Every structure is written in C-alpha cells, then in structure tokens.
Amino acid sequence: RLVCPRGGVVLDPFMGSGSTGVAALMEGMRFVGIEQSVEYADIAGGRLKLALDGAPLPVELVTRTVVPVSKDVPPPPKKLKLK
C-alpha cells in the first residue's frame, strides 16, 4: 500500500513461495513473479490460484516458462580486466 497504488504492478524477482504475490492480489494489485526453482514456482502457482478467487481485479494466471541452462556454459570471469 505504501509503494504501489491499487491496480499497480508489483514485481517480485525472487518469488519463492509466492507470499508477496498473494498479498498483492489481495490488495487489488497486479503481480509479476520470477522464480528459478521449479519446485517453488509450483508452490507459488498453487497459492496464487487460491488467491485469485478473492482478487478484486479481473486477473489471469500465466505460469512459468522454464529456460534450461546448460552446465557446459563457463562461469563469468571473476575479475574484469581494465586497461
């Protein structure tokens, strides 16, 4: 309520179990959540589906898009070499 007006969009880039999303929907806000763990994304999806029943705005739940990351990709460099 302090940082997002009713009908605004709340972004949670580390969604976890979806508590922020549930609260946002209950307060009449739209919500975008990002979670890298499929297990937690599924948990959050279930909680958000339940919260949608009481949401004051017409909303639609769009669930995850999984982007696989290859383990063959080398890690980023540890130090940036400046000239």
Side-chain angles (χ1 to χ4, degrees):
R1 293 179 199 160
L2 295 174
V3 297
C4 187
R6 193 171 204 54
V9 179
V10 174
L11 170 65
D12 185 359
F14 309 102
M15 186 170 56
S17 64
S19 297
T20 300
V22 170
L25 292 175
M26 291 173 64
E27 292 297 324
M29 300 168 194
R30 293 175 290 159
F31 172 73
V32 175
I34 302 166
E35 177 55 50
Q36 71 175 2
S37 164
V38 175
E39 180 182 357
Y40 278 100
D42 289 340
I43 292 168
R47 293 186 69 204
L48 291 167
K49 284 178 187 176
L50 290 173
L52 287 176
D53 292 338
L57 296 173
V59 291
E60 172 187 352
L61 179 64
V62 179
T63 57
R64 71 174 187 255
T65 300
V66 176
V67 179
V69 177
S70 172
K71 292 184 179 183
D72 297 332
V73 177
K78 292 187 180 189
K79 291 184 178 180
L80 181 62
K81 294 180 181 179
L82 301 175
K83 292 183 179 181

Short mmCIF file of all heavy atoms in Angstrom, two decimals, residues 15-19 21-22 25 31 38-53 61-64:
data_model
loop_
_atom_site.label_atom_id
_atom_site.label_comp_id
_atom_site.label_asym_id
_atom_site.label_seq_id
_atom_site.Cartn_x
_atom_site.Cartn_y
_atom_site.Cartn_z
N MET A 15 10.58 -14.87 -6.18
CA MET A 15 9.22 -15.12 -5.70
C MET A 15 9.12 -16.14 -4.57
O MET A 15 8.27 -16.01 -3.71
CB MET A 15 8.37 -15.57 -6.88
CG MET A 15 6.93 -15.73 -6.56
SD MET A 15 5.89 -15.97 -8.00
CE MET A 15 6.59 -17.38 -8.79
N GLY A 16 9.95 -17.14 -4.56
CA GLY A 16 9.85 -18.15 -3.51
C GLY A 16 8.48 -18.80 -3.50
O GLY A 16 7.98 -19.26 -4.52
N SER A 17 7.81 -18.82 -2.35
CA SER A 17 6.52 -19.50 -2.24
C SER A 17 5.34 -18.61 -2.63
O SER A 17 4.20 -19.04 -2.54
CB SER A 17 6.33 -20.03 -0.82
OG SER A 17 6.28 -18.95 0.09
N GLY A 18 5.60 -17.36 -3.03
CA GLY A 18 4.53 -16.52 -3.55
C GLY A 18 3.81 -15.63 -2.57
O GLY A 18 2.77 -15.07 -2.90
N SER A 19 4.34 -15.44 -1.37
CA SER A 19 3.66 -14.63 -0.36
C SER A 19 3.42 -13.19 -0.82
O SER A 19 2.34 -12.64 -0.60
CB SER A 19 4.46 -14.60 0.94
OG SER A 19 4.54 -15.91 1.47
N GLY A 21 3.09 -12.14 -3.88
CA GLY A 21 2.06 -12.19 -4.92
C GLY A 21 0.66 -12.33 -4.34
O GLY A 21 -0.28 -11.67 -4.78
N VAL A 22 0.52 -13.17 -3.35
CA VAL A 22 -0.78 -13.36 -2.69
C VAL A 22 -1.23 -12.04 -2.06
O VAL A 22 -2.38 -11.61 -2.22
CB VAL A 22 -0.71 -14.50 -1.64
CG1 VAL A 22 -1.97 -14.53 -0.79
CG2 VAL A 22 -0.49 -15.84 -2.33
N LEU A 25 -2.30 -9.49 -4.77
CA LEU A 25 -3.63 -9.78 -5.31
C LEU A 25 -4.73 -9.42 -4.32
O LEU A 25 -5.76 -8.86 -4.69
CB LEU A 25 -3.74 -11.26 -5.69
CG LEU A 25 -2.88 -11.70 -6.88
CD1 LEU A 25 -2.98 -13.21 -7.07
CD2 LEU A 25 -3.28 -10.97 -8.15
N PHE A 31 0.49 -8.54 -10.32
CA PHE A 31 1.71 -9.13 -9.78
C PHE A 31 2.48 -9.86 -10.87
O PHE A 31 1.90 -10.60 -11.66
CB PHE A 31 1.35 -10.11 -8.65
CG PHE A 31 2.52 -10.91 -8.15
CD1 PHE A 31 3.49 -10.31 -7.37
CD2 PHE A 31 2.64 -12.24 -8.47
CE1 PHE A 31 4.57 -11.05 -6.91
CE2 PHE A 31 3.71 -12.98 -8.01
CZ PHE A 31 4.69 -12.37 -7.23
N VAL A 38 11.90 -24.72 -9.95
CA VAL A 38 10.62 -25.26 -10.42
C VAL A 38 9.74 -25.66 -9.24
O VAL A 38 8.54 -25.43 -9.24
CB VAL A 38 10.86 -26.46 -11.36
CG1 VAL A 38 9.55 -27.11 -11.76
CG2 VAL A 38 11.63 -26.03 -12.59
N GLU A 39 10.35 -26.22 -8.21
CA GLU A 39 9.60 -26.65 -7.02
C GLU A 39 8.87 -25.46 -6.37
O GLU A 39 7.68 -25.52 -6.10
CB GLU A 39 10.53 -27.30 -6.01
CG GLU A 39 9.84 -27.76 -4.76
CD GLU A 39 10.80 -28.37 -3.75
OE1 GLU A 39 12.00 -28.48 -4.03
OE2 GLU A 39 10.33 -28.71 -2.65
N TYR A 40 9.59 -24.37 -6.15
CA TYR A 40 8.97 -23.20 -5.54
C TYR A 40 8.00 -22.51 -6.48
O TYR A 40 6.97 -21.98 -6.04
CB TYR A 40 10.03 -22.21 -5.03
CG TYR A 40 10.57 -22.59 -3.68
CD1 TYR A 40 11.78 -23.25 -3.56
CD2 TYR A 40 9.84 -22.33 -2.53
CE1 TYR A 40 12.27 -23.61 -2.31
CE2 TYR A 40 10.32 -22.68 -1.29
CZ TYR A 40 11.54 -23.33 -1.19
OH TYR A 40 12.01 -23.69 0.05
N ALA A 41 8.29 -22.52 -7.77
CA ALA A 41 7.36 -21.92 -8.73
C ALA A 41 6.02 -22.67 -8.71
O ALA A 41 4.95 -22.05 -8.80
CB ALA A 41 7.96 -21.94 -10.14
N ASP A 42 6.07 -23.99 -8.58
CA ASP A 42 4.83 -24.77 -8.49
C ASP A 42 4.06 -24.45 -7.21
O ASP A 42 2.83 -24.32 -7.22
CB ASP A 42 5.13 -26.27 -8.56
CG ASP A 42 5.59 -26.71 -9.94
OD1 ASP A 42 5.32 -25.99 -10.92
OD2 ASP A 42 6.21 -27.79 -10.03
N ILE A 43 4.78 -24.32 -6.11
CA ILE A 43 4.14 -23.96 -4.83
C ILE A 43 3.48 -22.59 -4.95
O ILE A 43 2.32 -22.39 -4.57
CB ILE A 43 5.17 -23.98 -3.68
CG1 ILE A 43 5.63 -25.41 -3.40
CG2 ILE A 43 4.59 -23.33 -2.41
CD1 ILE A 43 6.85 -25.51 -2.49
N ALA A 44 4.23 -21.62 -5.48
CA ALA A 44 3.69 -20.27 -5.64
C ALA A 44 2.49 -20.26 -6.58
O ALA A 44 1.49 -19.58 -6.31
CB ALA A 44 4.78 -19.34 -6.17
N GLY A 45 2.55 -21.02 -7.66
CA GLY A 45 1.43 -21.10 -8.59
C GLY A 45 0.16 -21.59 -7.91
O GLY A 45 -0.93 -21.05 -8.12
N GLY A 46 0.29 -22.60 -7.05
CA GLY A 46 -0.87 -23.10 -6.32
C GLY A 46 -1.44 -22.07 -5.36
O GLY A 46 -2.66 -21.88 -5.27
N ARG A 47 -0.56 -21.37 -4.66
CA ARG A 47 -1.02 -20.34 -3.72
C ARG A 47 -1.68 -19.18 -4.46
O ARG A 47 -2.68 -18.62 -4.01
CB ARG A 47 0.15 -19.83 -2.89
CG ARG A 47 0.69 -20.90 -1.95
CD ARG A 47 1.76 -20.35 -1.04
NE ARG A 47 1.14 -19.42 -0.09
CZ ARG A 47 1.79 -18.45 0.53
NH1 ARG A 47 3.07 -18.26 0.30
NH2 ARG A 47 1.18 -17.66 1.38
N LEU A 48 -1.11 -18.80 -5.60
CA LEU A 48 -1.68 -17.69 -6.38
C LEU A 48 -3.04 -18.07 -6.97
O LEU A 48 -3.94 -17.24 -7.02
CB LEU A 48 -0.71 -17.26 -7.47
CG LEU A 48 0.56 -16.57 -6.96
CD1 LEU A 48 1.60 -16.46 -8.07
CD2 LEU A 48 0.24 -15.21 -6.39
N LYS A 49 -3.20 -19.32 -7.39
CA LYS A 49 -4.51 -19.77 -7.90
C LYS A 49 -5.58 -19.62 -6.83
O LYS A 49 -6.70 -19.18 -7.10
CB LYS A 49 -4.43 -21.21 -8.39
CG LYS A 49 -3.74 -21.37 -9.71
CD LYS A 49 -3.66 -22.83 -10.12
CE LYS A 49 -2.82 -22.98 -11.36
NZ LYS A 49 -2.61 -24.37 -11.76
N LEU A 50 -5.24 -20.00 -5.59
CA LEU A 50 -6.20 -19.86 -4.50
C LEU A 50 -6.51 -18.38 -4.23
O LEU A 50 -7.65 -18.02 -3.96
CB LEU A 50 -5.66 -20.51 -3.22
CG LEU A 50 -5.59 -22.03 -3.22
CD1 LEU A 50 -4.88 -22.53 -1.97
CD2 LEU A 50 -6.98 -22.62 -3.33
N ALA A 51 -5.50 -17.53 -4.31
CA ALA A 51 -5.69 -16.11 -4.04
C ALA A 51 -6.52 -15.44 -5.14
O ALA A 51 -7.19 -14.44 -4.88
CB ALA A 51 -4.33 -15.41 -3.92
N LEU A 52 -6.48 -15.98 -6.35
CA LEU A 52 -7.22 -15.38 -7.47
C LEU A 52 -8.72 -15.41 -7.23
O LEU A 52 -9.44 -14.55 -7.73
CB LEU A 52 -6.90 -16.09 -8.77
CG LEU A 52 -5.52 -15.81 -9.35
CD1 LEU A 52 -5.28 -16.65 -10.59
CD2 LEU A 52 -5.35 -14.35 -9.67
N ASP A 53 -9.21 -16.37 -6.47
CA ASP A 53 -10.65 -16.46 -6.21
C ASP A 53 -11.19 -15.21 -5.52
O ASP A 53 -12.30 -14.79 -5.77
CB ASP A 53 -10.97 -17.69 -5.36
CG ASP A 53 -10.74 -18.98 -6.11
OD1 ASP A 53 -10.73 -18.95 -7.36
OD2 ASP A 53 -10.55 -20.01 -5.45
N LEU A 61 -3.88 -16.01 -14.48
CA LEU A 61 -2.63 -16.58 -14.03
C LEU A 61 -1.91 -17.19 -15.21
O LEU A 61 -2.43 -18.06 -15.89
CB LEU A 61 -2.89 -17.65 -12.96
CG LEU A 61 -1.65 -18.36 -12.41
CD1 LEU A 61 -0.76 -17.36 -11.68
CD2 LEU A 61 -2.06 -19.48 -11.48
N VAL A 62 -0.71 -16.70 -15.47
CA VAL A 62 0.15 -17.25 -16.51
C VAL A 62 1.34 -17.86 -15.78
O VAL A 62 2.06 -17.17 -15.07
CB VAL A 62 0.63 -16.14 -17.48
CG1 VAL A 62 1.55 -16.73 -18.53
CG2 VAL A 62 -0.55 -15.45 -18.11
N THR A 63 1.52 -19.15 -15.95
CA THR A 63 2.57 -19.83 -15.19
C THR A 63 3.87 -19.86 -15.96
O THR A 63 3.95 -19.42 -17.09
CB THR A 63 2.14 -21.24 -14.79
OG1 THR A 63 1.79 -21.96 -15.97
CG2 THR A 63 0.95 -21.20 -13.84
N ARG A 64 4.83 -20.46 -15.37
CA ARG A 64 6.24 -20.40 -15.74
C ARG A 64 6.59 -20.77 -17.17
O ARG A 64 5.93 -21.56 -17.82
CB ARG A 64 7.03 -21.28 -14.81
CG ARG A 64 6.75 -22.76 -15.09
CD ARG A 64 7.65 -23.62 -14.25
NE ARG A 64 7.47 -24.98 -14.66
CZ ARG A 64 6.81 -25.88 -13.97
NH1 ARG A 64 6.27 -25.56 -12.84
NH2 ARG A 64 6.68 -27.10 -14.41
#
